[in-house]
Each structure stands twice: as structure tokens, then as C-alpha cells.
Amino acid sequence: MAVEDEGLRVFQSVKIKIGEAKNLPSYPGPSKMRDCYCTVNLDQEEVFRTKIVEKSLCPFYGEDFYCEIPRSFRHLSFYIFDRDVFRRDSIIGKVAIQKEDLQKYHNRDTWFQLQHVDADSEVQGKVHLELRLSEVITDTGVICHKLATRIVECQGLPIVNGQCDPYATVTLAGPFRSEAKKTKVKRKTNNPQFDEVFYFEVTRPCSYSKKSHFDFEEEDVDKLEIRVDLWNASNLKFGDEFLGELRIPLKVLRQSSSYEAWYFLQPRDNGSKNLKPDDLGSLRLNVVYTEDHVFSSDYYSPLRDLLLKSADVEPVSASAAHILGEVCREKQEAAVPLVRLLLHYGRVVPFISAIASAEVKRTQDPNTIFRGNSLASKCIDETMKLAGMHYLHVTLKPAIEEICQSHKPCEIDPVKLKDGENLENNMENLRQYVDRVFHAITESGVSCPTVMCDIFFSLREAAAKRFQGDLSKSKSASFKESYMATFYEFFNEQKYADAVKNFLDLISSSGRRDPKSVEQPILLKEGLMIKRAQGRKRFGMKNFKKRWFRLTNHEFTYHKSKGDQPLYSIPIENILAVEKLEEESFKMKNMFQVIQPERALYIQANNCVEAKDWIDILTKVSQCNQKRLTVYHPSAYLSGHWLCCRAPSDSAPGCSPCTGGLPANIQLDIDGDRETERIYSLFNSYMSKLEKMQEACGSKSVYDGPEQEEYSTFVIDDPQETYKTLKQVIAGVGALEQEHAQYKRDKFKKTKYGSQEHPIGDKSFQNYIRQQSETSTHSI
């Protein structure tokens, strides 16, 4: 989900590998072991949870998580929980990485010490505040100052135990005084609108002055401050929960009698600091945070056109796409955005065909073909991941679910057999499972996506041309373990060899087209969410209930629980729009609506990432519906009117335009401009290598002797053509670099520290200001 920023779209994504924890504190009981899991949080909102590792103080998770981040955040946090069957799970410790620090740990395994968690350290959200100082003449004729403190609103406060009922206390504090006042409690919202003003007398008379601001003695001003504390009103006996504070010295009013700003809430200074940092153990993480700043499409035309014509360049090693693979440290780094861009514009098959043919020509041994760490093999892998994911699910999911549900023992290593297990029975169980998976694969050829079949056809042709008569040879199987050789005999029959050959022939045949088996529903997404009763019964209760939701390419259904018959079904063609629902409708976060001809279905997802995923995929699958709406109501119809526009009729046309459409192709939702921006960033980060490659072209053109060792890492078949492309790439990258630099300069001039977008306390913006100041000074 992109955030618009004056014509520039900003995308955030994160890829996380949760490795293992070690040296967790032992449980205060006889076993001392714990059953632990780890959560991933944007600030304090959970967006992912690992499996539970039982009875361990050094749990290994080994789980990956990727998501597009749909909102701003300050910390990426990881919590280790100890499961408790009878009470609420307890938090052992946390790792909180500030957004501006994520680049320090980019794509490298790092051990983080777990930190203590308490109410004073769990802070998120921001406050909008106004201060105004005025002169007041008292009854005795003495002039003193009165301070008006206005709490306007807060945004993004945390949800505590499923609720947020916030209020604020405002204190004027100094060495000899502390006067506190309190706002009203705002129920069921973490974005409260307070708009309350509190008056404090600053009791220091002075002579009347007609100046536009007030002259204070500095030592007096420095002794006074306004402190704002946010609290969550609790019905529990433990008292209200602290949500954060901010402190503003009155010296901010020296230059003017009024002051207004947004502030990030901060933790209290008296948080628990008595524990050693290594008391709670540590957690191994690998985090890759990416932020793409994407201009409008025309900015990318020169570089994009250069990349898209790569398949037609002779030789292909002189093309822009191939050069990207040469300069990147890892081929995978280049393959990911390249394949996505080429798929988006329908150019991936000719490009992979060209680089595969070039690789085949360089290959001496047919047994090593496409097995190297080459750009061709990485691009083929990436294409299969993108285009083949649904095919993989449809093909293997039924067989894998059957295996997981039946739990038959399959161990055939005699040394590892458990007591009571029979080797022959286990062998037969495993044979049945392998046979089931084998047939699922070999009978799925007709469903293989067209783009994959076209690639396989070109690979087959290139290999057959280069190694005529060599490819059909097969080697006898060899096994280190004798029990595997015995098991292999089950499948050493001609029918299995024929099935594999027929499958490979089918998926690599010229002219085969995917029938897109529409008759067979494809499961796209499922999960537990909360839905509001739609009021289909005249006197029915419109309450909220947990339901199991299921989306296929045919229908969107919900069920009482997983595996039950559907309670309600919406055919895909009846989905007229899928949009967010404003939080104020039901005082609930992460809600969206699926709009049908008669009514809207209101649904709450578990977190912001899940909400975005459901909205995206529901929008994609219904994108081509002919009756899709252009306007909708962003709020609900309650108490006889729409909350957004106050229209009294439940059938009144929408009052807001529907959000922009997404590509109808479910499998390949790709933003070509974003991928080109990523490729530009890669080229820009490897600019020194591009220049080195230029030198290599020059050296190769004029020097006929043995190739110089410093240039030997580059594949350069045609120095002149490669040099020409390099020159164009460097020019295109340079032009985009200038655009980014100009955008940063313009933004720096316009942005105000203390605004809603950049509240005071925003460390990443403070770093940005410092960098821009240094850049400006350097350029001057």
C-alpha cells in the first residue's frame, strides 16, 4: 500500500527471519522449561506469530515473515511469550528496533539482547498541543500571566487488553509547584479528539509591556514546564495504565506568546532499569527493511525501455538486464526486480530464452546445465515462484493436508524406529504417501501456467540443440543408506519413468495453452475474522461474531468454524467494491467492508497487515466485475443515517470515490514503476562496479593479450556493445539520482518539524534534517 507524498509514492516492506532464542530465564517450577513463541509487532500491534516451541530455554523457530507495511511506525518489535494454559501468556522480554536503526542490521544475522517490558516502556502515538500565554490584570491592578494549554487530539495510541479509553492529565510543574488538571475520558478510541483547554496562572507579576511577546528572566522560564500524561481508564483493580508522556519547557514561549506542535509520546524516565541487559536471554534475527520512493511513470521511461529491450540485444550479455546481474553481489538480488518488471510487460520469456541459450553455449557438461548460480537459473526460479504459486497450491495442497491429518508413521531407518513401530508398515505408509504426491504432480501438467511452459519449451530447445543425443541418458541411482535403495525399488518401474517423461513433455511442449480450469475453485486466502451481522432478519441482533472466512476465485464465504458448511456466500461477481471502514463507525480498528448490491458486509481483521491483504486480494479477484461502484460510504449506516454524509436513506449513493483499481490478474500484481525504481537503486549502489565494467570494456577492446585479472569477473562478449549500454545505464541512473536529490531538497524546504507528519521526537526526521543541512553546507 503506497503512501502518496506530493506526487511521490512511498512503499514500505519488511522481510524477517526469526532464528532462535537462547538463555531464556528458567521457569520458577520443578521443570524449569518454558513453552515459548515469538511475535512480530509494528509498534505494539501484533502482525505475525511463530509456532510454540515446547519445553526449551533455547527455542529454535526458523520462520520467515514478509509483509508490505501499510502505515507509519516507530518501532519494529519482537516479543517472546511463555504460554500459560490457565492464565494469560506472560511476556519474557522484547527486542524493539527503531525504524531509523533498521538499516544498521540490514540483511545480516544479529543477536539482540531481550529487554524488560513494563508499562513505562510500552509507548506509541502522538499528541497535538497548543500553548498560549496572555497578560491578565488582577483585581488589585497587578499584571500577571495566564497560560492556556489546549489538548487538541491524539493519534495512534495503543490498544490495551483489547480496548482504549484514553484521557490526559496536564500539569504545570516547577521547583515549588505542581498543578494538575484532567480531560474527560474518551471511550473506545485510540484516536481521541479532546479539544479541551486548561488555564494556569503563572504567578510572577511584572510591569505592563506593549511588546508583542513577553520578556521573561531566563532562570524563571527554565524552571517551569508543562507535562502531559496519557492514560487508559481501566475498570481493573490495578488502576489506570500509563500510555506515555511529553514534557515542554515554557521557554518555547520566549519568542512568541503562542506555540503549537505535534509530539511523539515518550516513555517515563523511571522505567525498570535494575535488570542487567543479559538477564533475559537473546534473540537472533535477520531483518530486511525496504523503503521505495517511486515517481510517476514518465520519470522511468529511459531506464525502463533500456531494460525491456534486453532480450533483443545481440549478444544478450551486452544488455542492461544482463549487466545488472553482472554488477550485483548476488544474482538473486538482480533477478527479483528484473523478473517482476519483465513479467509485468510480457517480456520475461524472450529474456530468459536469450540468457539461457547463452548459458547453454558456455556449458561443457550436460549434467551441469542450469545448475550453476547464474542469472538464468535465478530468473527461472523467481518466475516459477511468482507465476506458479497457485499451481503449486492446487497441485499439492490436498495430498499434503491428507498426510498431515493422518499422522501415519513413516520412519524407515531401522536405527530410528520407535518402540512398537513396524518397519514394513512404515515402509508401506511412506510408499502410499510418495505415490499420492507423485501422481498429483505428474497428472497436473495441463494446469501448469502458460508462462512456465513457454520457458520450459525454450530451455528444452536450447539444450537439445547444444547437446544432441545426450539428454535422454539416465544414470542408475546410488544411495548411501541401504534402506533407501530398498525403498527405491518400489518406484523403479517403467510406468513411473513413463509418467515423468509424459509430464515433462507436456509442460515443455510448444503451443500448449493453459485452459485456466475455471471449473475448479482455487483457494486464495482463508482465516479467522470478526464480522457484523448484516441484518438480513428484520428483528435480528446486529452483533459481532468470529467466523472462518474463505475466498476462492468463485466465491467469498464465512463459516462457523474451519471445515464447516458455509453460513453465507457472496459470489465474486456480486462484489461491487472492497474498501476500508472508518474506525469511528464502530470504534474498532482494522475494519473493511465488502459491498454487495443489497448491503455491505462489515469485517474486522486481526491487524493492519491482515486487513490490507484481505482488501487487496478481494479487490483483485473482483476487479473485472462489470457493476463495480465508483463511489461508496466510508462509514457505516447506523441510527437511520450514514455517519459519513448524514444521508437518511440506506440506499443513498456513496459520498466518496472508490480507491484506485488493481490489476485483475491475481497471480501477478506487479507495479512496473516500483520495480524500475528498485533496479535504479541497485545500479546506483553498484555504480563503482559499473564504472569498473566500463574500464574492462575499454581494456578488452585495445588489449589483445591475456585478460587482466581485475576485470575477469565480468562476462563481456562484445566490448563495444557492452560499453554503449553501460553509458546509457549510467546516464539513466544519473538522471534519476538528480530527480531524487531535487525532491529531497524541495521537501526539506517545505517540511516543518513538529507538524503532524513529523512530530517532535521523530528521530528519523531529526537525522534527515541533519543530513540535509550537511549536504546543503557541503554544496555551498
Side-chain angles (χ1 to χ4, degrees):
M1 188 176 292
V3 179
E4 292 288 341
D5 188 2
E6 297 180 5
L8 190 89
R9 291 178 299 146
V10 181
F11 296 88
Q12 303 175 101
S13 63
V14 68
K15 184 169 67 173
I16 300 164
K17 289 184 178 181
I18 302 171
E20 59 190 308
K22 68 178 181 182
N23 301 330
L24 299 180
S26 58
Y27 186 77
S31 75
K32 299 188 181 301
M33 295 291 108
R34 294 181 182 269
D35 300 340
C36 297
Y37 60 91
C38 178
T39 67
V40 180
N41 298 55
L42 294 175
D43 296 318
Q44 288 166 252
E45 181 183 14
E46 182 183 322
V47 294
F48 178 72
R49 180 179 293 199
T50 68
K51 63 182 182 294
I52 295 170
V53 177
E54 298 182 340
K55 299 178 181 177
S56 175
L57 298 180
C58 295
F60 177 81
Y61 298 107
E63 295 193 40
D64 294 351
F65 173 64
Y66 171 85
C67 76
E68 296 282 329
I69 300 176
R71 62 169 176 83
S72 59
F73 68 101
R74 292 170 66 189
H75 293 88
L76 185 64
S77 302
F78 303 84
Y79 291 78
I80 299 287
F81 284 86
D82 184 13
R83 180 184 60 178
D84 192 315
V85 177
F86 303 106
R87 293 175 294 178
R88 180 180 294 167
D89 296 350
S90 57
I91 299 177
I92 296 174
K94 74 171 181 180
V95 171
I97 309 173
Q98 291 183 340
K99 180 181 176 181
E100 56 270 20
D101 291 336
L102 286 170
Q103 286 303 319
K104 293 181 188 175
Y105 312 106
H106 184 78
N107 201 20
R108 59 188 178 90
D109 281 9
T110 306
W111 283 99
F112 294 90
Q113 294 293 332
L114 289 170
Q115 302 298 318
H116 191 66
V117 176
D118 61 23
D120 293 335
S121 68
E122 295 290 279
V123 168
Q124 69 178 60
K126 53 190 176 183
V127 183
H128 187 194
L129 189 76
E130 290 181 7
L131 302 178
R132 185 174 295 276
L133 200 59
S134 53
E135 286 184 336
V136 177
I137 301 176
T138 63
D139 294 340
T140 59
V142 176
I143 298 170
C144 65
H145 298 106
K146 183 170 279 191
L147 176 69
T149 304
R150 181 182 172 216
I151 303 291
V152 185
E153 61 179 310
C154 297
Q155 288 185 354
L157 300 178
I159 306 291
V160 181
N161 299 331
Q163 64 155 24
C164 191
D165 297 331
Y167 69 89
T169 58
V170 183
T171 307
L172 178 66
F176 306 108
R177 63 183 295 180
S178 180
E179 184 181 354
K181 304 190 178 184
K182 176 183 167 184
T183 69
K184 295 175 183 173
V185 175
K186 298 293 180 180
R187 297 288 174 186
K188 294 184 178 179
T189 178
N190 66 338
N191 297 313
Q193 301 280 332
F194 291 114
D195 202 13
E196 293 190 45
V197 182
F198 301 101
Y199 293 96
F200 299 92
E201 284 190 6
V202 182
T203 53
R204 188 176 51 76
C206 65
S207 58
Y208 183 74
S209 167
K210 293 185 178 180
K211 292 181 180 180
S212 60
H213 61 89
F214 302 93
D215 292 320
F216 293 108
E217 294 176 19
E218 189 164 338
E219 57 269 25
D220 290 338
V221 177
D222 289 344
K223 291 174 183 175
L224 289 175
E225 68 175 12
I226 282 288
R227 193 178 81 235
V228 178
D229 294 88
L230 264 293
W231 300 85
N232 181 46
S234 172
N235 298 321
L236 301 174
K237 62 182 179 181
F238 305 112
D240 298 346
E241 291 102 350
F242 173 75
L243 299 181
E245 70 170 18
L246 58 95
R247 296 167 180 256
I248 307 171
L250 287 198
K251 62 185 178 184
V252 298
L253 291 165
R254 280 205 208 112
Q255 304 302 317
S256 170
S257 59
S258 64
Y259 174 80
E260 176 266 335
W262 283 83
Y263 281 82
F264 271 136
L265 283 167
Q266 302 296 334
R268 257 199 302 236
D269 289 335
N270 62 348
S272 297
K273 296 178 181 177
N274 55 342
L275 290 175
K276 297 178 183 177
D278 59 348
D279 278 350
L280 302 175
S282 54
L283 179 65
R284 180 166 61 87
L285 301 167
N286 185 305
V287 180
V288 177
Y289 171 73
T290 308
E291 198 172 284
D292 298 321
H293 297 257
V294 182
F295 291 114
S296 58
S297 195
D298 52 310
Y299 284 83
Y300 298 102
S301 293
L303 184 58
R304 182 177 58 237
D305 293 347
L306 203 58
L307 291 159
L308 293 179
K309 71 177 186 183
S310 291
D312 304 321
V313 174
E314 288 285 348
V316 72
S317 60
S319 68
H322 194 279
I323 287 170
L324 180 67
E326 288 296 291
V327 297
C328 283
R329 186 174 64 249
E330 301 287 344
K331 302 291 183 189
Q332 181 76 11
E333 202 177 13
V336 173
L338 260 183
V339 165
R340 294 177 69 87
L341 179 72
L342 295 169
L343 268 171
H344 184 67
Y345 288 100
R347 299 292 295 157
V348 77
V349 174
F351 176 68
I352 289 180
S353 299
I355 58 174
S357 294
E359 183 176 327
V360 168
K361 286 175 186 174
R362 285 192 288 269
T363 303
Q364 300 303 315
D365 180 359
N367 292 308
T368 64
I369 197 167
F370 303 130
R371 291 190 178 181
N373 181 23
S374 65
L375 184 62
S377 62
K378 293 302 181 187
C379 284
I380 293 166
D381 288 348
E382 197 59 33
T383 304
M384 289 196 293
K385 284 179 193 172
L386 284 167
M389 191 58 72
H390 285 287
Y391 165 56
L392 181 70
H393 287 176
V394 169
T395 303
L396 292 181
K397 190 177 181 188
I400 290 172
E401 282 185 339
E402 181 188 317
I403 292 168
C404 292
Q405 288 166 8
S406 58
H407 290 297
K408 292 179 182 176
C410 296
E411 181 57 70
I412 62 172
D413 183 348
V415 178
K416 295 181 180 177
L417 280 180
K418 295 179 181 175
D419 291 342
E421 286 186 355
N422 180 280
L423 183 62
E424 286 72 24
N425 289 346
N426 286 13
M427 190 90 74
E428 178 58 20
N429 291 339
L430 184 59
R431 189 196 66 76
Q432 288 179 7
Y433 284 153
V434 172
D435 202 56
R436 174 91 166 81
V437 171
F438 180 89
H439 282 96
I441 294 170
T442 54
E443 292 168 8
S444 70
V446 72
S447 303
C448 185
T450 309
V451 69
M452 287 168 59
C453 294
D454 291 342
I455 289 171
F456 298 152
F457 174 69
S458 68
L459 299 182
R460 178 178 176 171
E461 280 214 312
K465 192 173 178 181
R466 172 78 171 82
F467 301 105
Q468 294 179 6
D470 282 347
L471 288 179
S472 60
K473 294 177 183 176
S474 62
K475 293 183 177 179
S476 58
S478 60
F479 301 95
K480 292 179 182 176
E481 304 91 351
S482 58
Y483 59 86
M484 284 305 298
T486 307
F487 183 72
Y488 175 73
E489 289 303 316
F490 285 128
F491 300 94
N492 192 17
E493 297 180 20
Q494 192 59 40
K495 66 176 183 179
Y496 290 107
D498 291 343
V500 171
K501 186 176 184 302
N502 291 337
F503 171 71
L504 295 176
D505 283 344
L506 183 58
I507 65 171
S508 62
S509 296
S510 170
R512 200 204 70 80
R513 285 293 172 264
D514 184 9
K516 294 183 181 173
S517 20
V518 178
E519 295 75 23
Q520 184 182 12
I522 299 173
L523 179 64
L524 303 175
K525 188 173 176 64
E526 62 181 342
L528 198 65
M529 295 191 286
I530 295 172
K531 66 99 190 174
R532 181 178 185 258
Q534 299 177 81
R536 296 193 302 278
K537 296 177 183 175
R538 187 170 182 181
F539 299 106
M541 290 284 289
K542 292 188 179 180
N543 53 356
F544 289 88
K545 289 184 177 177
K546 282 189 176 181
R547 292 289 181 254
W548 185 264
F549 284 81
R550 204 166 185 272
L551 175 66
T552 71
N553 55 333
H554 291 185
E555 61 182 352
F556 182 48
T557 57
Y558 61 75
H559 315 244
K560 190 165 186 180
S561 56
K562 186 177 182 179
D564 289 353
Q565 290 298 309
L567 297 173
Y568 186 67
S569 168
I570 305 174
I572 294 302
E573 58 268 23
N574 282 3
I575 297 178
L576 306 183
V578 184
E579 299 287 348
K580 285 183 176 180
L581 187 71
E582 288 182 351
E583 185 183 327
E584 290 305 308
S585 295
F586 300 107
K587 305 288 186 184
M588 294 166 69
K589 290 174 69 68
N590 303 318
M591 289 202 73
F592 63 95
Q593 51 185 317
V594 180
I595 303 171
Q596 312 162 68
E598 308 84 21
R599 62 181 67 83
L601 173 61
Y602 298 134
I603 303 171
Q604 184 187 36
N606 296 321
N607 55 61
C608 63
V609 171
E610 273 291 295
K612 177 190 179 300
D613 284 349
W614 275 108
I615 292 170
D616 281 357
I617 197 159
L618 280 162
T619 302
K620 288 173 214 165
V621 80
S622 62
Q623 188 65 43
C624 293
N625 291 352
Q626 294 181 350
K627 296 181 180 178
R628 276 189 69 86
L629 299 177
T630 55
V631 290
Y632 78 108
H633 292 285
S635 289
Y637 183 81
L638 296 171
S639 306
H641 63 266
W642 292 98
L643 298 183
C644 40
C645 60
R646 315 299 293 181
S649 170
D650 61 354
S651 59
C655 56
S656 296
C658 288
T659 52
L662 290 161
N665 187 333
I666 302 162
Q667 298 165 334
L668 304 175
D669 173 24
I670 294 169
D671 186 317
D673 296 333
R674 186 180 181 186
E675 301 309 327
T676 313
E677 167 65 26
R678 284 179 169 177
I679 292 171
Y680 144 75
S681 296
L682 282 172
F683 272 136
N684 198 39
S685 63
Y686 290 111
M687 184 57 73
S688 61
K689 273 198 167 185
L690 286 170
E691 291 165 350
K692 196 85 170 172
M693 200 170 178
Q694 272 190 318
E695 292 174 19
C697 290
S699 170
K700 205 160 188 176
S701 297
V702 299
Y703 184 65
D704 288 333
E707 188 172 356
Q708 292 188 30
E709 191 177 332
E710 59 180 319
Y711 303 138
S712 61
T713 55
F714 301 119
V715 173
I716 301 172
D717 297 317
D718 186 323
Q720 283 81 14
E721 281 298 315
T722 307
Y723 187 89
K724 192 195 308 179
T725 306
L726 280 162
K727 194 174 179 182
Q728 292 173 297
V729 166
I730 290 170
V733 170
L736 280 168
E737 175 68 3
Q738 286 182 356
E739 294 293 348
H740 277 287
Q742 186 59 50
Y743 171 81
K744 287 178 182 176
R745 285 193 292 270
D746 293 345
K747 185 179 178 183
F748 178 65
K749 290 174 185 173
K750 296 175 188 173
T751 306
K752 178 190 172 188
Y753 188 46
S755 64
Q756 186 174 357
E757 295 76 23
H758 300 287
I760 292 169
D762 183 350
K763 292 185 180 178
S764 54
F765 185 68
Q766 287 174 302
N767 293 341
Y768 172 74
I769 290 176
R770 189 175 64 253
Q771 289 166 6
Q772 292 303 307
S773 301
E774 289 169 358
T775 305
S776 302
T777 307
H778 180 70
S779 61
I780 291 169

